[in-house]
Amino acid sequence: MTATAAAHPLRLVGDVRRPRQVDHLPDPSDLTVDDELPGGCYPLHLASHLTEHLRWMRRCGRGRRTIRARRRAVVRLAEALGTDPAGATAEQLDAWQDQLPTLRQVRWATAMIRPYYAWLHAKGLRADNPATLLPMPPAPTRLPRPMTEPDLARAIVEAPARLLPWLLLGGWVGLRAGEIAGLDREHFSVDPNGQVWASVIGKGDKQRNVPVPGWLWADLLPYLPPGGPCFRRVRGPGKGRWRVTGQHVSQYCNTYLRNIGLPDTFHALRHRLATIVLEETGDLRLVQDLLGHAQLSTTALYTRVRPTRMARAIAALPPPPTRPNRGLRAVDAGELIPMAQSS
């Protein structure tokens, strides 16, 4: 083991695995009567067969956040309808969609409840599927908006101690807010060459290992506890015991960025990292693995942020051959006439 590796009490990369939860209580949204399904603050009795459906999702390997989101969406549908959603008609679902305030909410909520009705129909619990014809608005394609280097430098210099580790992990490791919230001290490891790695649990509970720069690890280490969750809540009933949530990380950082006059969000740090790595390597697959994108098409959006390779390709095109006595001359606007003109 190298001197760098010996300097940090970490396990070798070959032994990286998700550790057991250490010395903290579960998130309140995970507390449930039977303590087995995520999202216990959303009562299961409001929707028939919802418990069975969520257990089926778990057997299918769906992540906890996905199960929690499905539970929340179906329960909110029940509250909006004022009746058991398992017996809802197509007309009731149309009216429910109409009262959602934005197309984004229509898209998210519809995507969440459609599988519930498809499952009810496939199980023979309903003779029809009332959600079959519910429209699904397409998601707008927006380019990532990376934070500029001057803005990032200002955000780092002025950051309070509570937020600094989050900004560093977002800007130089590319972690999502939820991934930062889920970090345990045991998730960090070092390989025989002294490279520090973070074992991250991303969307869909998919694990990936991402490199941590040596200078960042040195700056981060004083903020980390000896074990257990890296970042715990500092106020409220779970103070010092419950870990922060992804919502805590993003909201606190977004509020801080607004307060210092920056237009960026926390996610812009991730966009910045992806854009720079893609420019340096030109390797979409590498950036996809680094960010934990399920679809390469999501990563491909970063090629449109700063298409420097495209600009270089255009600049490399040979100019038209020059010909004697065929120089270009300025044309007055009066000489520009329609190609087809009646006589």
Side-chain angles (χ1 to χ4, degrees):
M1 182 178 295
T2 65
T4 305
H8 305 303
L10 301 170
R11 293 173 293 118
L12 294 180
V13 166
D15 191 41
V16 171
R17 60 186 180 272
R18 189 172 189 179
R20 63 183 177 85
Q21 302 300 319
V22 180
D23 186 32
H24 75 286
L25 297 179
D27 189 284
S29 64
D30 280 349
L31 297 176
T32 174
V33 173
D34 54 15
D35 197 30
E36 65 169 348
L37 293 170
C41 56
Y42 304 105
L44 292 168
H45 70 272
L46 295 181
S48 296
H49 310 293
L50 181 55
T51 300
E52 186 182 355
H53 174 64
L54 298 178
R55 288 174 177 165
W56 172 81
M57 289 180 63
R58 186 173 59 186
R59 294 196 302 273
C60 290
R62 301 295 188 268
R64 293 183 63 84
R65 282 178 288 187
T66 303
I67 295 174
R68 184 186 298 119
R70 178 72 50 77
R71 179 173 180 168
R72 177 177 62 178
V74 174
V75 168
R76 286 182 173 175
L77 173 63
E79 294 169 344
L81 295 176
T83 186
D84 187 347
T89 64
E91 291 74 20
Q92 286 177 309
L93 294 183
D94 285 339
W96 163 75
Q97 269 196 335
D98 286 338
Q99 57 87 32
L100 294 173
T102 66
L103 287 179
R104 180 178 181 180
Q105 288 175 286
V106 171
R107 182 169 56 252
W108 182 87
T110 304
M112 283 292 106
I113 64 116
R114 268 182 167 179
Y116 170 66
Y117 285 105
W119 178 84
L120 289 174
H121 181 54
K123 289 279 288 185
L125 300 172
R126 278 195 64 127
D128 64 340
N129 182 350
T132 300
L133 297 180
L134 285 179
M136 178 77 75
T141 301
R142 295 189 177 95
L143 292 181
R145 293 171 291 180
M147 181 180 286
T148 66
E149 296 305 299
D151 284 351
L152 178 56
R154 180 183 171 195
I156 293 298
V157 168
E158 301 181 20
R162 174 70 168 165
L163 305 187
L164 181 59
W166 302 346
L167 296 173
L168 293 174
L169 289 168
W172 278 272
V173 186
L175 299 190
R176 300 179 177 97
E179 293 168 348
I180 292 173
L183 282 174
D184 286 352
R185 179 62 176 78
E186 293 81 2
H187 286 166
F188 292 96
S189 60
V190 65
D191 64 21
N193 296 320
Q195 172 64 56
V196 179
W197 298 84
S199 180
V200 179
I201 308 299
K203 288 185 176 180
D205 284 340
K206 295 180 180 178
Q207 185 179 22
R208 71 184 191 278
N209 290 329
V210 292
V212 179
W215 66 265
L216 193 155
W217 176 246
D219 288 352
L220 185 64
L221 198 55
Y223 296 93
L224 300 181
C230 291
F231 308 109
R232 301 174 189 257
R233 304 184 191 188
V234 296
R235 60 174 61 91
K239 177 180 177 180
R241 295 176 295 163
W242 292 341
R243 68 170 71 245
V244 297
T245 66
Q247 188 175 21
H248 287 138
V249 175
S250 60
Q251 285 187 351
Y252 288 158
C253 289
N254 291 344
T255 299
Y256 161 68
L257 294 172
R258 287 195 301 269
N259 288 343
I260 64 173
L262 298 182
D264 305 284
T265 64
F266 178 77
H267 208 67
L269 298 171
R270 182 172 158 89
H271 292 171
R272 172 253 182 196
L273 175 81
T275 303
I276 292 177
V277 173
L278 187 58
E279 285 181 348
E280 292 294 323
T281 67
D283 190 337
L284 273 177
R285 287 290 184 183
L286 183 149
V287 179
Q288 180 187 20
D289 291 342
L290 178 64
L291 298 183
H293 285 158
Q295 302 294 329
L296 188 61
S297 58
T298 304
T299 313
L301 288 176
Y302 290 96
T303 64
R304 297 165 56 187
V305 178
R306 296 174 189 164
T308 53
R309 299 180 73 197
M310 183 190 303
R312 288 196 297 267
I314 294 298
L317 293 175
T322 56
R323 300 180 183 177
N325 302 321
R326 293 295 300 273
L328 299 177
R329 67 181 180 85
V331 179
D332 293 334
E335 296 183 54
L336 300 178
I337 59 176
M339 295 187 64
Q341 184 174 10
S342 59
S343 57

